[in-house]
Amino acid sequence: MDVKKVLYISQEITPYLPETALSSFGRLLPQGIQEKNVEVRTFMPRYGCINERRNQLHEVIRLSGMNIIIDDTDHQLIIKVATLLPTRMQVYFIDNDDYFERHSSGELETTTSPADNDERSMFFVHGVIETVKKLRWEPSIVHCTGWLSALTPLYLKHIYGDDPSFRGTKVVYSLFGGGFDGTLDSRLVDKLKQEGLTDAELASLIAAGSQIDALAINKLAIDHADGIIASSPDVDQRLIDYAVASGKPFMPYPGEDDYVSAYHKFYTDL
């Protein structure tokens, strides 16, 4: 396909968060793809540990103010933006007082308040998609990175499947090592069904029963993505086997040499 616009939905991006494999990937891949004359937009959560003054975040009033309903409760969507220099790549931040703290000791809310992680993921993904719709920006590729973005393929294929903003869009999901400890709220399936999703669409979560762990949420992403990439060398072999068995385009870990070209080729081949 002709790749003109790529939307990155990233769980972590450096320098807004400490440098890790995930946060470095969240910055360097979009930057590299932008250097190939592709229009790029990047989204991440506005965690409480992010210093807004130092990183020059500012609210985008015209994009903020929408309410997103999760489990019959309204949550206000706040959008902030910053520019990464010298590349001038814009990073949009999804914010909300219920899921992201005003101040933090330095740990991410995914660790300090894990009981909210299911709804935090739902809010984050909905927030990104609704903001892109408001921007009237139609991406060729949506690339999701990190388990917090794992609901994106499901939402884009089945909740927003008929939306003109995503007509013809291909969804890529990156697998990483690690994930999260414990399980997500056992009511996640019920909350997703409130949005009109079916048992068939939620099969991976239903199979996990009350133990919706990192393996289950990543399998759900694989079920609905158009392409899957192993983006670190330590991906759980069970997920690699599951991705290969799906029959969908799959790229093994491409290494660190000229990996941007490998990702760009994967996009164009979808």
Side-chain angles (χ1 to χ4, degrees):
M1 68 183 302
D2 186 12
V3 178
K4 296 181 178 179
K5 299 178 180 179
V6 179
L7 170 65
Y8 288 95
I9 305 178
S10 301
Q11 184 170 318
E12 300 178 17
I13 300 174
T14 188
Y16 306 110
L17 296 176
E19 190 168 326
T20 64
L22 191 58
S23 66
S24 295
F25 183 86
R27 172 173 183 166
L28 295 176
L29 179 62
Q31 181 177 316
I33 293 296
Q34 180 174 268
E35 290 169 357
K36 290 184 175 292
N37 297 317
V38 176
E39 190 176 340
V40 164
R41 287 191 175 170
T42 304
F43 284 76
M44 70 172 289
R46 204 288 302 162
Y47 299 105
C49 63
I50 296 174
N51 187 308
E52 295 194 10
R53 174 177 287 186
R54 183 170 64 240
N55 291 294
Q56 299 183 9
L57 273 66
H58 62 271
E59 184 175 350
V60 186
I61 302 298
R62 68 185 179 86
L63 298 176
S64 298
M66 178 187 301
N67 283 339
I68 292 176
I69 300 173
I70 297 175
D71 199 20
D72 290 329
T73 302
D74 285 352
H75 302 274
Q76 187 180 36
L77 175 62
I78 301 168
I79 305 298
K80 295 174 181 175
V81 69
T83 302
L84 275 171
L85 299 176
T87 63
R88 301 199 62 78
M89 185 172 72
Q90 285 196 317
V91 178
Y92 291 83
F93 296 81
I94 299 297
D95 197 3
N96 170 266
D97 290 346
D98 300 319
Y99 299 121
F100 301 106
E101 301 172 6
R102 296 300 92 197
H103 302 285
S104 170
S105 62
E107 287 192 281
L108 302 185
E109 288 83 336
T110 50
T111 299
T112 58
S113 55
D116 295 328
N117 276 342
D118 65 322
E119 293 189 7
R120 186 174 287 114
S121 177
M122 294 171 70
F123 181 85
F124 175 53
V125 173
H126 264 308
V128 173
I129 295 172
E130 291 293 345
T131 302
V132 172
K133 287 175 57 180
K134 273 193 173 184
L135 289 168
R136 297 182 180 178
W137 195 76
E138 300 176 13
S140 311
I141 299 287
V142 175
H143 189 156
C144 320
T145 302
W147 63 264
L148 200 66
S149 72
L151 294 175
T152 306
L154 172 73
Y155 279 19
L156 285 178
K157 296 299 180 182
H158 300 288
I159 296 179
Y160 295 92
D162 295 327
D163 194 288
S165 296
F166 304 101
R167 186 180 295 121
T169 297
K170 299 293 185 181
V171 187
V172 174
Y173 186 71
S174 272
L175 298 171
F176 273 82
F180 58 88
D181 295 329
T183 60
L184 298 177
D185 187 346
S186 60
R187 288 194 58 246
L188 175 57
V189 169
D190 292 335
K191 294 173 186 178
L192 291 171
K193 283 184 176 181
Q194 290 177 25
E195 302 196 349
L197 293 161
T198 68
D199 285 355
E201 293 157 358
L202 301 172
S204 292
L205 299 187
I206 292 172
S210 61
Q211 303 297 308
I212 301 175
D213 56 10
L215 182 67
I217 199 74
N218 277 287
K219 283 184 174 180
L220 180 73
I222 292 169
D223 289 342
H224 301 283
D226 295 297
I228 305 100
I229 299 173
S231 292
S232 72
D234 56 345
V235 175
D236 188 323
Q237 187 62 44
R238 292 172 294 177
L239 288 174
I240 292 177
D241 293 344
Y242 192 80
V244 171
S246 74
K248 297 177 180 181
F250 172 75
M251 184 169 76
Y253 179 58
E256 298 182 6
D257 295 332
D258 199 24
Y259 68 92
V260 172
S261 293
Y263 280 84
H264 187 263
K265 183 177 187 303
F266 187 82
Y267 297 160
T268 58
D269 288 346
L270 284 177

